[in-house]
Amino acid sequence: MRKQIMGGCIVVGLLAGCGGAAVEEPTDSSSIGARQDAVAYCSGDFKIVYYSDASKTVEVGSTTCYCHAPVIVRGHQTPYWSELYNESC
């Protein structure tokens, strides 16, 4: 009887594993993997140019959007920027 109880405890311990119950990974569209593949599409036409400092002489990056196309981000975004154009689609 004692061997059966000990055997049962060992089986329960092996099934439970270390650290508690296993956590299942989400497989629906809200999973992290699905969000990494998301692409932002533009609802307007605009271009923003970012500069290295307040003098706005050295361009360091830009964000460009064409109607219904993916957003294009290049370089670095800074607090010093100018909007070159902004039109709706």
Side-chain angles (χ1 to χ4, degrees):
M1 177 79 171
R2 189 172 195 199
K3 284 185 179 181
Q4 290 174 336
I5 292 173
M6 290 302 289
C9 289
I10 291 173
V11 170
V12 169
L14 290 174
L15 290 175
C18 298
V23 177
E24 291 185 28
E25 293 293 323
T27 56
D28 61 1
S29 62
S30 68
S31 69
I32 293 173
R35 281 183 268 149
Q36 288 176 344
D37 295 335
V39 175
Y41 285 91
C42 302
S43 61
D45 234 9
F46 67 87
K47 182 169 185 174
I48 298 171
V49 176
Y50 298 95
Y51 300 94
S52 61
D53 57 32
S55 67
K56 295 185 178 180
T57 54
V58 179
E59 293 183 20
V60 295
S62 66
T63 300
T64 308
C65 228
Y66 301 107
C67 289
H68 311 293
V71 177
I72 301 167
V73 179
R74 296 193 175 147
H76 304 284
Q77 293 179 343
T78 68
Y80 312 105
W81 56 274
S82 292
E83 189 171 60
L84 298 184
Y85 58 88
N86 189 349
E87 301 172 10
S88 56
C89 294

